[in-house]
Amino acid sequence: MKLPNEFEYYINKGIVRKIAPDKPRAEFLIKESEVSLEGLKERVKVMGINDKNANSIIKDCYDIIMEIIRAKLLLEGYSFSGSHAHEAEVSYLKKLGFADGDVSFLNELRYFRNSITYYGKLLDREYAQKVLNFLNKVKPKLKEYLEENEENGMNKDNEES
């Protein structure tokens, strides 16, 4: 699947706007992603992954990843809305330095998640497992970027004191 445009493209189109960082909302999204991940792990442990629950696992994985990306964007002072907002969020991974393969996979996942939600597409167990593996691969990297914000925020707070 084609890579999304550069992040700046979405800024220029007005899909992404610069705002004051929104730390409370970002913290909520981070906690929500952690709770969702724990629930997902429990479900997979009890039920496993099969063709019946593949779509819900795929959507949950996508939502967890996107909540972390949105939190990072909010901490950086970005707001996003309208058509192509999800694509803009995916493109932010390129700005963070993620490999094109990871950005492409998440963009594909965005497309398939929309296909599930809006067009009734059924995906299989194998793809759900692939998506879960991807979540487990990118989540630690995304968390590192969030921790950088915490460290930078702490340094700024200390400089102002």
Side-chain angles (χ1 to χ4, degrees):
M1 174 163 270
K2 181 183 146 194
L3 289 172
N5 292 306
E6 296 297 321
F7 188 68
E8 288 71 23
Y9 168 86
Y10 303 99
I11 293 172
N12 293 335
K13 290 287 186 183
I15 296 164
V16 175
R17 296 178 319 280
K18 195 72 174 140
I19 60 167
D22 191 342
K23 188 174 179 178
R25 190 166 163 218
E27 287 173 347
F28 170 79
L29 289 172
I30 293 164
K31 287 177 187 168
E32 188 67 18
S33 72
E34 291 168 358
V35 169
S36 296
L37 181 59
E38 287 306 311
L40 177 62
K41 286 179 182 178
E42 287 177 23
R43 267 190 17 232
V44 169
K45 183 178 177 180
V46 171
M47 298 172 52
I49 301 174
N50 57 53
D51 288 339
K52 290 180 182 176
N53 65 10
N55 278 8
S56 68
I57 289 170
I58 291 164
K59 289 191 299 183
D60 287 350
C61 289
Y62 176 80
D63 289 345
I64 291 165
I65 293 167
M66 295 310 291
E67 285 171 341
I68 298 169
I69 293 170
R70 286 181 189 122
K72 174 67 173 164
L73 284 161
L74 289 165
L75 290 170
E76 292 293 324
Y78 290 108
S79 176
F80 31 87
S81 63
S83 182
H84 302 286
H86 288 234
E87 189 177 310
E89 293 165 338
V90 171
S91 79
Y92 189 66
L93 289 184
K94 287 177 16 180
K95 189 174 178 83
L96 292 175
F98 276 77
D100 285 350
D102 290 339
V103 176
S104 179
F105 186 82
L106 185 56
N107 198 41
E108 173 188 279
L109 178 55
R110 176 190 60 80
Y111 174 82
F112 283 136
R113 181 259 184 199
N114 287 345
S115 296
I116 291 167
T117 302
Y118 300 112
Y119 307 110
K121 181 163 182 69
L122 293 174
L123 298 168
D124 62 20
R125 182 190 70 74
E126 288 80 15
Y127 189 71
Q129 183 63 60
K130 189 175 176 182
V131 170
L132 184 60
N133 292 344
F134 179 75
L135 168 62
N136 290 328
K137 173 185 167 187
V138 299
K139 185 179 180 293
K141 291 180 190 177
L142 290 169
K143 292 293 274 187
E144 283 179 32
Y145 288 110
L146 289 172
E147 289 167 6
E148 286 176 10
N149 275 89
E150 289 175 12
E151 290 170 8
N152 291 338
M154 288 169 55
N155 291 340
K156 288 178 186 173
D157 290 343
N158 290 339
E159 290 171 7
E160 292 172 5
S161 299

